[in-house]
Amino acid sequence: MSSILDEYEDSLNSRHPVQHSSRLSAANIGMTHSGFVNVRLEEEKPIFNKQRIDFSPPEKINHFAVCNNQLCMSLGKDTLLRIDLAKPDRPNQVELGRKEDSRVHKLFLDPTGSHLVISLSTSECLYLNRNTQKVRSLSRWRGHLIESVGWNKLLRTETNTGPILVGTSQGIIFEAEISASEGSLFNTNPDQYFKQVHSLEEDGRPAPVCCIEVERGPESKVVIIATTRKRLFQFVGRVAEGSEQQGFSAIFSQNQELLPSFQEFPFNMGYSEITFYTPKLRSCPKAFAWMMGNGVLYGQLDYVKLDSLLSDVQVWDYTPDIDFSFNKPISIVLTQFHFLLLLPDRVKAICTLNGQVVYEDVFPDKFGTLKKMIKDPAGGLVWIYTEKAVFRYHIQREARDVWQMYMSMNKFDLAKEYCRDRPECMDMVLAKEAEHCFQDKRYLESAKCYALTQNYFEEIALKFIEAKQEEALKEFLLKKLNNLKQSEKTQITLLVTWLTELYLNRLGLLQSDEGKHGVFQETRDEFRKFLSSSKHKECLYNNRTTIYDLLASHGNVDDMVYFSVIMQDYERVISHHCQHDDYSAALEVLSKHCDEKLFYKFSPILMQHIPKKVVDAWIQMGSRLEPKKLIPALVNYSQMGSTQQVNETIRYMEFCVYQLTVTEEAIHNYLLSLYAKYKPDSLLWYLEQAGSHLSDIHYDLKYALRLCAEHGYLQACVLVYKIMELYEEAVDLALQVDVDLAKTCADLPEDDEELRKKLWLKIACHVVQEEKDVKKAMNCLSSCNLLKIEDILPFFPDFVTIDHFKEAICSSLEEYNQHIDELKQEMEEATESAKRIREDIQEMRNKYGVVENQEKCAACDFPLLNRPFYLFLCGHMFHYDCLFLEVTPHLSTYKQTKLDELQKKLAAATQTSKSRHRPATKEEGGDTASLGKGSAGVSREQIKSDIDDIIACECVYCGELMIKSIDKPFIDPQKFEEEKSSWL
């Protein structure tokens, strides 16, 4: 019992059921016509997979029911076994405690698995709730053999069924309600009420209610379907919202005045069974199948129809092997696309789409006769039992082959719906749909479908060409193009070129037909949309030459221009406008797209026709254009063009120089030439504002000088000479224009007094000799302090009297006298200063200091007089060696090196001095010894003086060395650790 669901015996290992399949057989492995490879690496699992439960019942199984994973079975005479399939290892066994002559007739389990009704053969009924062990009798139901129960799916709870319908063997339909609670003191029965609401008949006599189903449709509609042996009844009514608890009496009363809607079949096999398919839990059933004497009636449920719920109804006739004398059908179960028919020894699965038997499973005799087949709506499992065994079917991917059936029925949308995840099947459906549309002469639809298939491209294209369907061919090519990957460049190129040719042919035909102007415009818009497609932009760009050739061969100029704009081939667009003398349009394209290279290329021709607009466009481009590259266009038309072109040229050059501050020499030179030729008034102003320093000048000075000289602009030439610092030439030329201008030039060389004097002499000479104006000559003396009267006297003629120079001569003499007095004063001051210096030197020689015998060295604190020492004016006294040690660390590298050298020289000189006290040998003369002594003495004293200059130039504590050492640490960083450890 503990392994009822966990351990299975796979019956497929011992035998293989007969399976009729319309799927692709194994022979289909390989390349199909569509280009797909269909290779199955392992055998696909069957749709209906049977498993036997590893369960051996202790007694014979009489009846069986399962809902919501709650399984109930009647065993032997008086045992009821309940199993929660979520907990199969904990079965629950209940004793019914019935009379010996009674047996279980049927079990009815509600969809939640909470309420179980047990119908006994003695026309009694028992009730068992899932949460209790106590079996309770339904006393109000006594006397009726229950054949069917219609559960309430809306108002049910775990302890209450809500209003339900009960069908009896006498054709009576009762409404009842069962509660699992104990009730009151006076009413302990679980059945709350039990009342008749309707009765069913066949041929004027009561007929057993084989099945009854209650469903709630949209808009508060309630549907009741009941079946007898050969009739199917429908009861439809509405229940006001909130009044569901009142039951179903109102539904039947609404149908009392009219005959109940039913379908009847002639043959009667003694019973019937109806089953429903619900796609989702807690939703309305969508299909039904009714097993009766004449076959199986199946179809859809339409809750909107007024006359009948049943739609698309078909009857499946029993196959010849089904003989009612010994092989009657027992049960039926409906799935999404099949209904399963249970026979005494086998199960058949029939497809509801085509009525074909697709599966047949024969059970061995050892298990006994098959008794019942039940479907659990919660899990979708199908259960079958015999007296000795229990089986269940897993339905796996039931819709896997539905697409083929829909395809054979020409229901292509449904076929595609069921093969979305199988591209090889989708391709077959699309190919079949395309062929079907082609045969029906729906060529556009056919083209769309063909484009989605993997069929050979050439075959499909030829089909449309032979049928002379260019529109369909174009549609096919467009769809095919959109489906290609970007990596398939060759195919894209082919399709794009072909489509362009088709569009151009179509446009040519429509353009010649005046009555189809609207169609022509639509086609052109479509063609331009195709050309501007971003998806194929790369292909169009790479093959733009071919597209241009096609457009040109058809004479389609407008679309060529449009395509050029799309390809950003603005050069072609502008050339087109220029060829048609539409220069404004050409300039508009230039200005819009701001391509500098195109400006340089087309500016010459545009400048010839619309100079003002062109210059405006240049100015708008600003610094993005290089003015130097536009000079060819400007030079050409400034030389041979009209006044307007010249003025526009000057305007642009001025914009470059004054606003863009262009420094290129060519631009400034060209502007100079334009000013010199056409606007001389602006020439001098330009030269003046350009600056007077060579670093500020951006034009060629020599070129400017030559240009001004050629045109006779002397004042401008003077200005250029001044900038070139050719002051003599500037003064010479300025004297031809104006003496004041020459004076301005003469004062420019401020640092060269000799040159200034020379220039002023030139001016004075010119004034005296050329203008013969003595008064102006005297003014020159006052203007330049470098000139004296004696400098200009030679320039005057002999007949000039001294009266003209009297003031100048007197002034000159006074200046000489004043200069002599200044020199005398300076000499007296120098003599006094020298006298004071001599006195200070004499005073320093006589200055001395007193050192007491107890004085100590300021560095080592030892008596000072023990060793050579230094005494400073500040009062500090140091031993020689102590001062040496104090000063040396503060000296620069150069001074330290020099000090070391002096020390070595001093040591060498001392050694030489000691050696002179040894007795002289015979070879050594007295004069030689005396000479060596004098030389050594002078050298040693000089060395000591040099050492003193280094170490004793100032007091180490009061001088500059101490001030410079203020930022140095007291302890050398390299010796810090050593000093630190010495303190520990």
Side-chain angles (χ1 to χ4, degrees):
M1 293 297 294
S2 63
S3 60
I4 188 170
L5 289 180
D6 299 329
E7 299 179 5
Y8 304 114
E9 176 185 330
D10 192 351
S11 61
L12 294 177
N13 293 334
S14 60
R15 56 179 170 77
H16 297 279
V18 179
Q19 180 138 357
H20 307 277
S21 176
S22 59
R23 296 194 303 273
L24 295 172
S25 63
N28 286 334
I29 296 176
M31 183 69 73
T32 67
H33 74 284
S34 67
F36 275 97
V37 178
N38 180 23
V39 179
R40 294 184 179 176
L41 300 180
E42 59 183 21
E43 186 177 353
E44 200 169 27
K45 292 183 179 180
I47 295 175
F48 304 101
N49 185 19
K50 183 179 71 175
Q51 295 172 331
R52 182 190 171 191
I53 305 302
D54 186 16
F55 168 64
S56 298
E59 298 180 78
K60 291 183 179 181
I61 302 174
N62 299 323
H63 291 278
F64 187 96
V66 59
C67 270
N68 196 27
N69 286 333
Q70 301 296 318
L71 187 149
C72 300
M73 63 178 74
S74 171
L75 303 176
K77 294 182 179 180
D78 201 34
T79 303
L80 182 70
L81 182 64
R82 296 189 298 180
I83 301 173
D84 185 350
L85 297 180
K87 305 171 184 177
D89 54 340
R90 290 187 286 179
N92 178 255
Q93 188 169 317
V94 179
E95 298 298 328
L96 298 180
R98 66 180 187 221
K99 299 176 182 178
E100 292 187 3
D101 57 343
S102 66
R103 59 182 177 81
V104 175
H105 177 61
K106 283 186 178 181
L107 296 179
F108 304 100
L109 186 62
D110 85 308
T112 65
S114 301
H115 309 283
L116 177 65
V117 173
I118 306 165
S119 176
L120 303 178
S121 60
T122 56
S123 298
E124 293 179 293
C125 284
L126 304 176
Y127 170 74
L128 180 62
N129 188 271
R130 181 172 63 181
N131 299 323
T132 64
Q133 289 285 102
K134 183 179 180 181
V135 179
R136 303 171 69 185
S137 174
L138 301 174
S139 59
R140 292 188 174 89
W141 298 35
R142 190 175 293 118
H144 301 283
L145 184 61
I146 306 303
E147 294 289 345
S148 58
V149 175
W151 298 100
N152 192 325
K153 299 175 184 177
L154 182 64
L155 300 177
R156 66 193 177 198
T157 63
E158 287 191 2
T159 59
N160 193 290
T161 62
I164 60 174
L165 294 177
V166 180
T168 69
S169 60
Q170 298 299 317
I172 303 174
I173 298 176
F174 290 92
E175 182 182 316
E177 183 176 357
I178 304 174
S179 176
S181 58
E182 292 296 333
S184 62
L185 180 63
F186 302 101
N187 182 16
T188 59
N189 294 328
D191 46 339
Q192 302 298 304
Y193 65 89
F194 191 76
K195 62 180 180 180
Q196 180 178 345
V197 293
H198 199 69
S199 60
L200 303 179
E201 295 181 350
E202 284 181 358
D203 302 328
R205 290 176 295 181
V209 182
C210 300
C211 295
I212 189 167
E213 183 79 12
V214 179
E215 294 292 343
R216 186 175 182 85
E219 299 178 358
S220 303
K221 184 182 290 186
V222 176
V223 177
I224 300 172
I225 296 178
T227 64
T228 60
R229 291 167 297 192
K230 58 180 182 177
R231 285 185 177 183
L232 187 149
F233 294 86
Q234 303 174 52
F235 302 93
V236 181
R238 296 184 185 277
V239 176
E241 209 171 319
S243 60
E244 293 88 350
Q245 195 65 41
Q246 297 178 5
F248 305 102
S249 302
I251 305 300
F252 291 103
S253 63
Q254 292 174 21
N255 291 268
Q256 284 294 337
E257 299 179 359
L258 303 172
L259 290 175
S261 174
F262 67 86
Q263 289 197 359
E264 184 175 8
F265 288 85
F267 192 76
N268 176 9
M269 65 176 183
Y271 56 88
S272 70
E273 185 175 343
I274 191 169
T275 181
F276 298 90
Y277 168 70
T278 304
K280 297 179 181 178
L281 287 175
R282 297 183 180 86
S283 64
C284 301
K286 299 298 181 184
F288 77 98
W290 179 37
M291 181 189 71
M292 40 77 184
N294 288 80
V296 177
L297 179 73
Y298 62 94
Q300 304 296 314
L301 294 177
D302 188 349
Y303 296 93
V304 180
K305 288 177 65 177
L306 300 177
D307 55 342
S308 174
L309 290 172
L310 312 182
S311 65
D312 299 331
V313 176
Q314 300 180 60
V315 176
W316 180 78
D317 296 326
Y318 293 125
T319 54
D321 61 331
I322 299 178
D323 189 346
F324 284 2
S325 60
F326 67 91
N327 196 20
K328 287 197 300 185
I330 302 170
S331 291
I332 187 170
V333 165
L334 180 63
T335 63
Q336 186 177 6
F337 297 107
H338 302 84
F339 60 83
L340 277 67
L341 203 63
L342 182 68
L343 301 172
D345 63 342
R346 69 191 61 198
V347 173
K348 286 189 176 187
I350 297 90
C351 180
T352 57
L353 298 178
N354 57 12
Q356 298 295 318
V357 177
V358 297
Y359 176 81
E360 187 170 352
D361 189 7
V362 180
F363 286 73
D365 296 336
K366 64 178 182 178
F367 297 118
T369 304
L370 302 179
K371 301 190 68 174
K372 191 73 173 176
M373 178 169 58
I374 304 162
K375 179 183 177 184
D376 184 356
L381 299 176
V382 177
W383 298 78
I384 297 175
Y385 72 95
T386 67
E387 292 181 348
K388 301 177 181 179
V390 177
F391 303 88
R392 70 177 176 185
Y393 282 92
H394 287 265
I395 302 175
Q396 300 175 335
R397 295 180 58 234
E398 184 183 3
R400 68 181 70 169
D401 298 322
V402 170
W403 64 272
Q404 283 187 317
M405 302 173 193
Y406 280 129
M407 183 178 70
S408 62
M409 298 162 61
N410 293 335
K411 295 182 179 180
F412 301 109
D413 290 338
L414 290 172
K416 287 184 280 189
E417 185 69 28
Y418 288 99
C419 62
R420 290 188 181 278
D421 56 342
R422 301 174 67 182
E424 73 282 1
C425 302
M426 177 68 79
D427 190 74
M428 294 176 66
V429 174
L430 289 169
K432 181 69 180 296
E433 182 181 7
E435 186 65 28
H436 178 74
C437 293
F438 192 90
Q439 296 298 331
D440 289 349
K441 297 185 178 181
R442 292 182 288 144
Y443 297 110
L444 286 177
E445 296 178 29
S446 175
K448 292 176 183 178
C449 293
Y450 268 131
L452 298 174
T453 67
Q454 299 297 320
N455 288 21
Y456 295 121
F457 174 82
E458 299 85 349
E459 293 180 2
I460 301 169
L462 285 173
K463 286 185 72 171
F464 288 117
I465 293 173
E466 291 172 358
K468 298 181 179 180
Q469 295 295 323
E470 284 195 7
E471 281 297 311
L473 176 61
K474 183 184 71 177
E475 187 67 27
F476 169 69
L477 296 179
L478 282 171
K479 293 290 183 183
K480 204 72 177 175
L481 179 63
N482 291 330
N483 292 335
L484 290 176
K485 299 177 182 177
Q486 291 296 325
S487 59
E488 299 173 305
K489 297 185 181 297
T490 305
Q491 293 89 329
I492 292 175
T493 302
L494 171 66
L495 294 180
V496 166
T497 309
W498 195 353
L499 281 166
T500 303
E501 180 68 27
L502 289 176
Y503 272 117
L504 290 173
N505 288 337
R506 178 69 174 162
L507 287 171
L509 292 173
L510 293 173
Q511 192 172 17
S512 60
D513 191 346
E514 296 181 358
K516 295 184 178 180
H517 179 73
V519 180
F520 169 77
Q521 194 60 43
E522 290 179 5
T523 307
R524 166 168 281 183
D525 293 342
E526 184 181 344
F527 177 48
R528 291 188 173 184
K529 184 178 179 181
F530 167 74
L531 291 177
S532 60
S533 171
S534 59
K535 186 175 182 181
H536 315 303
K537 185 176 182 179
E538 182 182 356
C539 174
L540 289 166
Y541 182 80
N542 294 334
N543 299 277
R544 60 188 184 279
T545 305
T546 305
I547 305 297
Y548 282 135
D549 293 341
L550 286 173
L551 290 165
S553 66
H554 285 267
N556 196 331
V557 178
D558 293 339
D559 288 325
M560 181 185 291
V561 173
Y562 179 82
F563 181 68
S564 301
V565 173
I566 293 172
M567 292 294 103
Q568 298 183 355
D569 190 359
Y570 304 118
E571 182 177 351
R572 187 181 295 267
V573 178
I574 297 168
S575 297
H576 169 78
H577 289 312
C578 291
Q579 289 170 6
H580 291 79
D581 298 335
D582 192 356
Y583 302 106
S584 297
L587 182 60
E588 184 180 351
V589 175
L590 264 179
S591 303
K592 182 178 181 180
H593 299 289
C594 304
D595 190 330
E596 295 86 358
K597 294 181 180 178
L598 295 181
F599 266 101
Y600 303 143
K601 181 174 183 178
F602 289 100
S603 287
I605 188 171
L606 295 176
M607 190 69 184
Q608 183 181 2
H609 296 89
I610 48 173
K612 186 178 186 307
K613 291 183 179 179
V614 172
V615 171
D616 289 340
W618 288 350
I619 292 174
Q620 188 176 6
M621 286 288 290
S623 60
R624 285 176 288 181
L625 291 178
E626 294 183 40
K628 184 170 66 175
K629 295 184 178 180
L630 294 172
I631 288 180
L634 296 171
V635 170
N636 187 17
Y637 299 109
S638 65
Q639 293 177 354
M640 56 181 288
S642 64
T643 305
Q644 183 187 9
Q645 291 167 340
V646 172
N647 292 337
E648 294 302 327
T649 301
I650 294 175
R651 182 163 71 96
Y652 181 66
M653 288 292 100
E654 290 176 341
F655 170 77
C656 294
V657 170
Y658 302 132
Q659 296 189 33
L660 296 183
T661 62
V662 175
T663 59
E664 292 181 5
E665 188 176 272
I667 300 300
H668 288 263
N669 289 345
Y670 184 47
L671 181 59
L672 266 176
S673 67
L674 291 174
Y675 279 151
K677 190 174 182 179
Y678 300 105
K679 292 182 69 176
D681 297 340
S682 301
L683 176 62
L684 188 60
W685 177 84
Y686 167 77
L687 292 174
E688 289 175 348
Q689 64 84 34
S692 58
H693 297 285
L694 291 176
S695 59
D696 299 332
I697 303 301
H698 301 301
Y699 54 86
D700 188 344
L701 288 168
K702 295 180 180 179
Y703 174 75
L705 184 61
R706 185 175 67 251
L707 199 65
C708 295
E710 286 176 358
H711 291 83
Y713 302 136
L714 298 181
Q715 194 171 352
C717 290
V718 172
L719 184 58
V720 175
Y721 276 133
K722 287 164 58 178
I723 297 171
M724 296 173 70
E725 297 183 356
L726 300 175
Y727 301 116
E728 291 189 42
E729 290 83 352
V731 169
D732 292 340
L733 195 59
L735 289 174
Q736 300 178 25
V737 179
D738 183 22
V739 174
D740 292 334
L741 180 60
K743 291 180 179 180
T744 306
C745 297
D747 282 332
L748 290 177
E750 297 177 354
D751 299 332
D752 192 347
E753 292 186 353
E754 183 179 352
L755 179 59
R756 282 178 60 201
K757 184 175 181 180
K758 181 179 179 181
L759 296 177
W760 276 102
L761 285 174
K762 280 191 175 188
I763 296 172
C765 179
H766 173 80
V767 170
V768 173
Q769 295 180 355
E770 299 296 331
E771 298 185 5
K772 296 181 173 41
D773 190 339
V774 178
K775 189 175 182 180
K776 278 190 178 180
M778 294 300 101
N779 290 335
C780 290
L781 291 177
S782 61
S783 300
C784 179
N785 56 1
L786 300 178
L787 291 181
K788 305 298 180 184
I789 185 64
E790 58 269 26
D791 296 328
I792 65 172
L793 281 176
F795 301 139
F796 289 98
D798 297 337
F799 59 85
V800 178
T801 61
I802 198 171
D803 293 338
H804 293 89
F805 313 111
K806 182 178 181 181
E807 294 181 4
I809 292 172
C810 293
S811 176
S812 178
L813 292 174
E814 289 178 0
E815 288 179 3
Y816 282 132
N817 290 331
Q818 184 180 357
H819 184 60
I820 291 171
D821 292 340
E822 290 176 356
L823 288 176
K824 286 181 178 180
Q825 185 177 356
E826 288 177 3
M827 290 175 62
E828 291 176 358
E829 290 176 356
T831 303
E832 183 65 24
S833 177
K835 180 180 178 182
R836 286 198 298 269
I837 291 171
R838 283 194 296 271
E839 292 175 352
D840 291 341
I841 293 172
Q842 187 64 33
E843 184 180 356
M844 288 297 294
R845 286 177 179 175
N846 299 327
K847 195 169 185 178
Y848 63 91
V850 178
V851 179
E852 301 292 340
N853 57 356
Q854 70 271 16
E855 293 290 346
K856 296 181 180 181
C857 175
C860 65
D861 205 29
F862 280 93
L864 185 68
L865 299 178
N866 292 347
R867 298 197 299 274
F869 64 91
Y870 288 97
L871 172 63
F872 291 95
L873 294 176
C874 62
H876 287 114
M877 293 168 280
F878 300 91
H879 288 127
Y880 168 79
D881 53 345
C882 292
L883 182 63
F884 187 87
L885 293 175
E886 287 288 332
V887 172
T888 302
H890 299 286
L891 295 177
S892 63
T893 305
Y894 170 75
K895 287 189 176 182
Q896 286 184 4
T897 304
K898 187 176 180 180
L899 186 62
D900 292 340
E901 292 176 356
L902 292 172
Q903 288 281 80
K904 292 177 182 178
K905 288 181 180 180
L906 181 62
T910 303
Q911 188 67 26
T912 303
S913 177
K914 289 180 179 180
S915 66
R916 75 167 183 254
H917 296 289
R918 291 181 299 174
T921 60
K922 292 180 180 181
E923 289 80 7
E924 296 173 346
D927 294 338
T928 305
S930 177
L931 178 63
K933 174 183 176 182
S935 175
V938 173
S939 177
R940 189 164 175 270
E941 291 299 325
Q942 183 63 40
I943 292 170
K944 290 182 68 176
S945 177
D946 293 341
I947 292 174
D948 289 343
D949 290 342
I950 294 175
I951 65 172
C953 63
E954 61 180 352
C955 175
V956 70
Y957 287 169
C958 302
E960 189 178 355
L961 287 178
M962 184 58 65
I963 296 172
K964 288 182 178 179
S965 66
I966 194 169
D967 59 341
K968 294 183 180 180
F970 291 109
I971 301 174
D972 188 352
Q974 298 179 354
K975 299 179 180 180
F976 179 78
E977 294 297 330
E978 180 182 351
E979 186 70 22
K980 180 181 176 181
S981 60
S982 67
W983 283 70
L984 299 177

